[in-house]
Amino acid sequence: MGSSHGVVLFCLAILCAAAVDAAGIEDIILQRHGWEHAHATFYGTPDGLGMGGACGYRNPFEKGYGQETTALSTALFNDGAACGACFEIVCINNPQWCRPGVIRVTATNFCPPDYSKSQDIWCNPPQKHFDLSLSMFLRIAEYKAGIVPVVYRRAKCWKRGGVKFEMGGNMYWTLVLVHNVGGAGDVVSVRVKSSSSSWTQMIRNWGQNWQTFEDLHGRSLSFEVTTSDGLMVQEIDVVPNDWQIGMSYEGRRNFG
């Protein structure tokens, strides 16, 4: 009886394994390596100019991101918290339109939802979608495809030089754009310390713009930046006391 029961269990195991098709096995393998399914389209011109965006970087070329950028759908954008994050993306399951290879892009913009449409709603929640720069799209897919299925995963950001701080705001409050962030790339916390004060928590204004109502004018500034993986960098006196709105200052350190 025990032997017969064991044979039955063995046969059931074989049948269950056979029931998992190739696509299911592929999904399991992808998930184990951190890959998830999504779709990708493109926006902008071939030269990539004019692709500012909801993360506050304005000109991605001036900020060092070039055309290796993407806009994220609502499900990925996370109200701007994902700005600066890097992703690896591969086109799959469409041999007619997919090109081989992996691209790495930085999130610099938001692909807004369109609730007036019932079709082509790729950026509406809960869709996970990447609206790539045209040059990035063409590295993994044919232009005529328009939209392709992809898999993606978070990747380490490789940036040259130190973390950068661009000063903004006005006489009543200070706005700081934190960019060129390596490692995880997406900043979750910024603290500022002036030459005459202790550390103060800044508040995310939008994208990677962080604000404080503390009077910082005429004072040298230090910043503490924390990324989503919990790593922290402090830049002491990175901004001189004669700083002006619109000026950018580069730290000596970065993540990763």
Side-chain angles (χ1 to χ4, degrees):
M1 182 70 176
S3 176
S4 175
H5 183 65
V7 170
V8 171
L9 290 178
F10 177 76
C11 290
L12 285 174
I14 294 295
L15 289 172
C16 288
V20 179
D21 59 17
I25 294 173
E26 178 184 291
D27 284 343
I28 292 172
I29 294 173
L30 288 171
Q31 290 170 7
R32 285 179 178 175
H33 289 83
W35 296 94
E36 297 185 54
H37 288 276
H39 283 83
T41 50
F42 63 85
Y43 76 111
T45 60
D47 57 15
L49 298 178
M51 296 177 65
C55 290
Y57 302 126
R58 291 183 290 281
N59 188 328
F61 289 89
E62 291 181 355
K63 298 300 185 292
Y65 298 109
Q67 296 195 56
E68 297 177 350
T69 63
T70 184
L72 302 178
S73 65
T74 303
L76 295 172
F77 191 66
N78 193 21
D79 292 328
C83 289
C86 294
F87 299 87
E88 290 179 331
I89 301 175
V90 181
C91 183
I92 63 165
N93 298 335
N94 198 331
Q96 179 182 3
W97 301 118
C98 286
R99 290 179 175 177
V102 183
I103 59 171
R104 185 191 300 254
V105 292
T106 302
T108 60
N109 206 351
F110 176 51
C111 183
D114 186 348
Y115 298 108
S116 68
K117 300 169 64 176
S118 59
Q119 295 181 330
D120 300 327
I121 53 173
W122 302 108
C123 289
N124 290 20
Q127 306 285 349
K128 294 180 178 180
H129 189 81
F130 295 88
D131 204 14
L132 301 165
S133 68
L134 177 56
S135 65
M136 288 296 101
F137 183 84
L138 292 178
R139 289 191 188 181
I140 60 170
E142 299 291 337
Y143 179 86
K144 290 183 178 180
I147 182 168
V148 291
V150 299
V151 290
Y152 74 94
R153 65 180 177 184
R154 285 289 299 271
K156 194 172 186 177
C157 298
W158 299 102
K159 306 301 179 187
R160 294 182 178 179
V163 176
K164 297 180 180 180
F165 307 88
E166 183 176 304
M167 308 303 295
N170 55 40
M171 62 181 297
Y172 302 105
W173 61 292
T174 303
L175 188 71
V176 180
L177 171 64
V178 183
H179 63 103
N180 198 53
V181 180
D186 50 339
V187 176
V188 297
S189 174
V190 178
R191 295 203 303 165
V192 62
K193 180 182 182 300
S194 76
S195 53
S196 62
S197 69
S198 58
W199 288 104
T200 299
Q201 183 67 49
M202 302 188 77
I203 301 170
R204 186 191 303 276
N205 182 291
W206 57 285
Q208 286 301 354
N209 284 286
W210 296 78
Q211 72 178 48
T212 180
F213 290 100
E214 181 180 348
D215 184 9
L216 302 178
H217 291 84
R219 298 170 174 83
S220 61
L221 305 177
S222 303
F223 289 98
E224 179 187 274
V225 179
T226 304
T227 48
S228 63
D229 56 0
L231 297 181
M232 181 266 289
V233 162
Q234 280 189 350
E235 290 292 351
I236 306 301
D237 295 330
V238 64
V239 175
N241 58 12
D242 61 348
W243 64 268
Q244 299 292 324
I245 291 174
M247 298 184 71
S248 184
Y249 303 89
E250 182 174 353
R252 294 174 289 276
R253 302 174 58 198
N254 211 321
F255 298 83

